[in-house]
Amino acid sequence: MTTSPPALDAPGTAAGAPVTAAPGARQVWRRLRGRPSALVAGGVLALLIVLALAAPLLAAIAGQDPNTYHDSLIDSARGGVPLGSFGGVSGDHWLGVEPGTGRDLFVRMLYGARISLLVAVGATVVQVIIGVAIGLAAGLGNRLLDSFLSRVTDLMVALPMLVLAIALTAVVSDSFPRPLLLILVIGLLNWGGTARIVRAQTLTLKSLDFVAAARLGGSGRLRVARRELLPSLAAPVITYAAILVPMNIVNEASLSFLGIGVKPPTPSWGQMLSNAQTWFRADPMYVLLPAGALFVTVFAFTVLGDAVRTALDPREASRLRVGTRAARKARGSAKNSAPEETAS
């Protein structure tokens, strides 16, 4: 299980530098459309989300169930290896069957995507809510409150997340919904990075003129935070949240891989990888399918997060425009025409 990454300044913002206004939604969308990698990553994630949401419908179309055993599709003499090539791929089982049980892999992959995405997005929401609240309170509070909350944040960042997660998931009753437990454990133990970013940005923003004017106008701290600071914090928080989602997908997969995530028969990509340890030689497809799905999902979220960071940072976008091919051609033509004008 990965820990929270080190806190960074807001994207494209140097420490102590003034914060620029966040671009509008149309401008952000226009910048994202100009990056093919962002469109491809967004398309992949949109397809994955649609497949996960439509898992019951697709399972009905395929005529399969995620928990139905098919003993006739495995070779009991070889320990349960699927019959046929590529892990038992056929017209009825599009991605083959699970070794040892014969359960349909296509349907289990779809339901596993639901668990992975639900846990990752839910944990990210918990992290962002707690991190923004703690960061704002530290940045707007007095020196004593700031010092106390900063030390608590440092403690959360330094704690061994994997050990605590194992301990918390082990003591909770099995009757408690496991996906909700994973959301709470991952979210409550990994909000430190978000709090650090929000605190640093709050300290920078509250010294600017528009915040000072609001406070002189009689606005209290809560109103200043809601009306003045939160809109300006949207860009760095959204950017960091886009990075947290793939991290939480890996966190969920790691916990399920260790056997303390979702419990069988509920499918999960991490759980499938854990079960595939004993089958990777006899049935490589059982390893490649969940591993490939995890890789593609995490990579797509990472690419999209980088694109969102660039789109939300006007200075980053301006630096990219300076380096575009059209701009280089324009500068080159201007240099070539300069000697001719001088000669004439």
Side-chain angles (χ1 to χ4, degrees):
M1 178 177 176
T2 56
T3 58
S4 299
L8 304 172
D9 292 324
T13 304
V19 179
T20 57
R26 291 184 179 180
Q27 189 176 7
V28 171
W29 171 239
R30 186 167 60 251
R31 292 172 182 170
L32 287 176
R33 284 189 305 174
R35 300 193 65 176
S37 59
L39 295 179
V40 173
V44 170
L45 293 176
L47 177 61
L48 179 64
I49 293 172
V50 170
L51 291 176
L53 294 177
L57 176 61
L58 294 174
I61 293 174
Q64 302 296 334
D65 181 83
N67 300 320
T68 300
Y69 284 44
H70 301 281
D71 296 333
S72 60
L73 300 177
I74 57 176
D75 187 356
S76 57
R78 299 173 57 195
V81 177
L83 296 171
S85 56
F86 301 105
V89 173
S90 65
D92 294 329
H93 304 279
W94 301 341
L95 296 180
V97 296
E98 187 179 58
T101 63
R103 292 180 292 191
D104 186 80
L105 273 182
F106 172 70
V107 177
R108 289 187 66 80
M109 287 287 296
L110 293 179
Y111 278 89
R114 291 182 125 196
I115 295 296
S116 295
L117 292 176
L118 174 65
V119 171
V121 174
T124 300
V125 171
V126 173
Q127 289 173 253
V128 168
I129 292 175
I130 297 177
V132 169
I134 297 295
L136 275 174
L140 289 176
N142 54 36
R143 181 173 300 180
L144 181 60
L145 179 62
D146 183 20
S147 178
F148 172 74
L149 293 178
S150 296
R151 299 296 78 75
V152 172
T153 302
D154 294 339
L155 177 64
M156 295 302 300
V157 172
L159 284 175
M161 296 293 103
L162 181 59
V163 176
L164 288 176
I166 293 175
L168 290 174
T169 52
V171 299
V172 177
S173 172
D174 290 339
S175 61
F176 193 86
R178 213 64 181 181
L180 178 59
L181 176 61
L182 291 176
I183 289 173
L184 294 177
V185 168
I186 296 174
L188 293 175
L189 296 179
N190 289 282
W191 52 263
T194 307
R196 281 183 168 182
I197 290 177
V198 172
R199 174 186 174 273
Q201 284 299 105
T202 301
L203 292 175
T204 302
L205 287 168
K206 75 175 187 179
S207 63
L208 300 182
D209 293 340
F210 70 96
V211 177
R215 301 188 70 170
L216 290 174
S219 298
R221 292 182 179 178
L222 185 60
R223 182 180 177 85
V224 169
R226 186 179 70 252
R227 299 289 299 274
E228 308 297 340
L229 296 179
L230 284 178
S232 299
L233 289 170
V237 169
I238 292 174
T239 301
Y240 194 65
I243 299 173
L244 289 175
V245 173
M247 290 177 56
N248 289 333
I249 291 177
V250 176
N251 289 340
E252 184 278 327
S254 301
L255 292 174
S256 296
F257 181 83
L258 294 174
I260 55 176
V262 294
K263 298 295 183 181
T266 304
S268 164
W269 290 346
Q271 180 193 99
M272 295 171 71
L273 280 174
S274 178
N275 296 335
Q277 293 181 85
T278 57
W279 298 101
F280 70 94
R281 291 185 183 274
D283 185 13
M285 288 294 293
Y286 190 39
V287 181
L288 294 176
L289 286 174
L294 274 173
F295 172 78
V296 170
T297 305
V298 172
F299 185 72
F301 266 114
T302 303
V303 172
L304 186 61
D306 180 72
V308 170
R309 175 186 62 82
T310 303
L312 289 172
D313 184 4
R315 288 178 293 181
E316 182 74 13
S318 65
R319 285 194 291 270
L320 289 177
R321 284 197 299 270
V322 170
T324 58
R325 184 179 301 177
R328 289 196 298 267
K329 287 183 178 179
R331 289 196 300 269
S333 60
K335 290 180 180 179
N336 293 334
S337 61
E340 295 178 0
E341 294 176 357
T342 304
S344 60

